[in-house]
Amino acid sequence: MSNSKAPTNSANNPVPKPWGGRFSEATDTFVERFTASVSFDQRMALEDIQGSLAHAQMLSEVGVLSDGEYRKIAAGLGDIAEEIKAGTFPWSVQLEDVHMNIEARLTERIGPTGKKLHTGRSRNDQVATDIRLWLRSRIDRIAAELTRLQSGLVALAEREADTIMPGFTHLQSAQPVTFGHHLLAWNAMLSRDFERLMDCRKRLNRSPLGAAALAGTSYPIDRARTAELLGFDAPSENSLDSVSDRDFAIEFCAFAALLLTHLSRASEELVLWTSSQFDFIDLPDRFCTGSSIMPQKKNPDVPELVRGKTGRVNGHLVALLTLMKSQPLAYNKDNQEDKEPLFDSADTALDCLRAFADMVPALEAKRDNMLEAAARGFSTATDLADYLVRKGVAFRDAHEIVGQSVSFAIEQGKDLAELSLHQLQQCCAEIDEDVFAVLTLEGSVTARAHIGGTAPMQVRAACARARDAIALRAEAPSGTDLQTQCQ
């Protein structure tokens, strides 16, 4: 039985809703704005068209749409894509979201045939598809920037394979290392981040299209075909899960949080190293700013800002975890809140990677300052203990002897290498003239000549392995014809 009462609203020109047949009054103006997502989900407009093109092609292939209807829909969507790229598309909050805006515009352009596009699908599987398409393309861009950063990092590490600097624990001088070795530690973190990113991409690359609202559809659709057209590996298995879970978005945000955590640790070291107290490196002026009141200042704003943005990305991860924790199956309106944290996490990760990929290769090491700092703080003490062990002294006894030697050197105002042989022998009679080769910084780093060690020869070998690993990475998956149309 139809209801003859026309929906009313305080708005002057209420826009009819595609779902409005069951309602006797129009949506409240505030509620309309409060529940709308078009202000942010229009970022997925081209992905939405991409999914619609695939859906329409599949519907024509299975006979739900005629060839003529499909061609008309495809042409209309192509025209709309051009409007969106040109910035002339008439977005409307009253049409709620990106999907209804595009569908309404399609019907406006091509007439009643546009209303057939939504056959066999729901906004629930539509948005789940759009998000995956959008995130997949961002993952590929992030992977490219991450690879660019690692390539620059490895090149810098190889250049600084012989540069000696202090290694720290508890931010106290511990043992000498090479700057190249330190940079390769950053690269190791980023390599694991890249693996996590690729794992995330693999799991999100399943097509939810065809799951419809929650139970599938009675139309004779071919989900494998739409998955193929959209470049997905396969259709998703369960319709309830397909439309309701956002674990792929959470997984991406977890990747982004770890990536930013690693970049933040590197940023902290860059900030320390550019300070006058360390003075280990110089950042080019284009990555720094000055002070409005102190003319001598050169502030490392880029790494500081990357460090700061880490908290924001961590917050997005917590927000998405909290969003999903109590949702019953299947789709709920809560899931509208998934996009802004996801979009911002992807944007922030990409921007921070770009900043680092541009900045890192331009770092200039102040090698003399690094070497001088490595000579302070008794950083070869462990080498002396190892020397005594090779002379037959038990390690715990050697540890005690070297501790006493350091105390004596502090009293004398000297480093261990500056003590005379006679002074060293007062601490342990087994010490001989050959000890001074052990107490040099060069001897210390060269002695760590095993895989993963800081010896320059090992750093160069590690750089070669890292370059080979980067070269073996497959190129970003090529887009389908539909993707090409919509980009």
Side-chain angles (χ1 to χ4, degrees), residues 194-230:
F194 186 88
E195 292 172 5
R196 275 185 281 268
L197 182 63
M198 293 299 99
D199 286 345
C200 175
R201 190 190 193 283
K202 180 179 178 181
R203 274 183 284 279
L204 77 79
N205 207 35
R206 298 286 188 274
S207 173
L209 197 56
L214 75 162
T217 178
S218 59
Y219 293 97
I221 62 171
D222 185 347
R223 294 191 63 212
R225 179 58 174 151
T226 50
E228 177 189 16
L229 289 169
L230 292 169

Side-chain angles (χ1 to χ4, degrees), residues 389-437:
V389 170
R390 289 193 295 271
K391 293 286 187 177
V393 179
F395 178 78
R396 282 301 169 200
D397 293 334
H399 190 284
E400 179 70 18
I401 291 167
V402 174
Q404 294 170 358
S405 301
V406 169
S407 293
F408 177 74
I410 291 172
E411 291 174 2
Q412 300 298 311
K414 297 179 178 179
D415 189 71
L416 288 174
E418 297 172 325
L419 295 176
S420 68
L421 178 61
H422 175 70
Q423 288 172 319
L424 289 168
Q425 287 176 334
Q426 286 182 325
C427 297
C428 181
E430 281 78 4
I431 296 177
D432 208 345
E433 190 71 40
D434 60 350
V435 72
F436 293 104

Side-chain angles (χ1 to χ4, degrees), residues 136-156:
R136 188 178 67 188
S137 70
R138 294 319 183 274
I139 284 175
D140 291 343
R141 289 172 60 186
I142 288 169
E145 281 299 291
L146 185 48
T147 296
R148 187 166 74 91
L149 168 57
Q150 289 188 260
S151 297
L153 196 54
V154 171
L156 180 60

Side-chain angles (χ1 to χ4, degrees), residues 163-471:
T163 302
I164 293 175
M165 67 177 292
F168 300 93
T169 62
H170 308 279
L171 205 57
Q172 306 293 315
S173 291
Q175 293 176 293
V177 296
T178 60
F179 188 35
H181 187 59
H182 193 114
L183 294 170
L184 287 181
W186 292 0
N187 184 65
M189 299 176 196
L190 296 175
S191 293
R192 294 191 296 275
D193 290 330
F194 186 88
E195 292 172 5
R196 275 185 281 268
L197 182 63
M198 293 299 99
D199 286 345
C200 175
R201 190 190 193 283
K202 180 179 178 181
R203 274 183 284 279
L204 77 79
N205 207 35
R206 298 286 188 274
S207 173
L209 197 56
L214 75 162
T217 178
S218 59
Y219 293 97
I221 62 171
D222 185 347
R223 294 191 63 212
R225 179 58 174 151
T226 50
E228 177 189 16
L229 289 169
L230 292 169
F232 288 115
D233 293 332
S236 55
E237 283 291 329
N238 183 279
S239 60
L240 284 166
D241 174 67
S242 298
V243 299
S244 64
D245 209 341
R246 295 295 185 266
D247 55 357
F248 65 92
I250 294 172
E251 185 175 6
F252 173 82
C253 288
F255 150 79
L258 277 169
L259 171 69
L260 266 292
T261 296
H262 288 152
L263 293 181
S264 181
R265 295 183 70 189
S267 294
E268 172 68 7
E269 291 185 319
L270 292 174
V271 171
L272 288 172
W273 293 345
T274 56
S275 69
S276 58
Q277 289 73 22
F278 280 78
D279 200 21
F280 284 179
I281 64 167
D282 184 53
L283 283 179
D285 289 352
R286 63 185 179 275
F287 298 106
C288 302
T289 64
S291 166
S292 63
I293 188 173
M294 295 168 285
Q296 83 282 8
K297 295 292 295 295
K298 180 179 176 179
N299 299 324
D301 278 14
V302 169
E304 287 179 354
L305 193 55
V306 170
R307 186 178 60 186
K309 286 179 180 291
T310 303
R312 146 190 200 156
V313 172
N314 290 349
H316 291 328
L317 172 60
V318 173
L320 287 184
L321 286 167
T322 307
L323 175 73
M324 294 304 302
K325 75 177 183 65
S326 299
Q327 286 197 40
L329 294 173
Y331 181 83
N332 300 278
K333 188 66 170 177
D334 312 45
N335 281 352
Q336 182 170 297
E337 291 294 304
D338 63 353
K339 296 168 195 64
E340 290 174 290
L342 178 63
F343 292 164
D344 190 67
S345 292
D347 291 344
T348 303
L350 189 61
D351 286 349
C352 290
L353 282 170
R354 177 181 175 181
F356 257 70
D358 290 343
M359 178 177 61
V360 164
L363 298 181
E364 291 291 338
K366 297 185 177 182
R367 295 167 184 163
D368 292 341
N369 292 354
M370 287 183 173
L371 185 63
E372 181 186 354
R376 300 192 301 267
F378 307 98
S379 63
T380 58
T382 304
D383 297 274
L384 180 57
D386 292 342
Y387 168 87
L388 292 176
V389 170
R390 289 193 295 271
K391 293 286 187 177
V393 179
F395 178 78
R396 282 301 169 200
D397 293 334
H399 190 284
E400 179 70 18
I401 291 167
V402 174
Q404 294 170 358
S405 301
V406 169
S407 293
F408 177 74
I410 291 172
E411 291 174 2
Q412 300 298 311
K414 297 179 178 179
D415 189 71
L416 288 174
E418 297 172 325
L419 295 176
S420 68
L421 178 61
H422 175 70
Q423 288 172 319
L424 289 168
Q425 287 176 334
Q426 286 182 325
C427 297
C428 181
E430 281 78 4
I431 296 177
D432 208 345
E433 190 71 40
D434 60 350
V435 72
F436 293 104
V438 170
L439 294 177
T440 66
L441 297 173
E442 292 78 10
S444 176
V445 297
T446 301
R448 272 76 180 170
H450 53 75
I451 187 169
T454 192
M457 63 174 289
Q458 287 296 335
V459 171
R460 291 189 178 90
C463 286
R465 291 192 299 271
R467 275 198 309 274
D468 289 344
I470 291 170

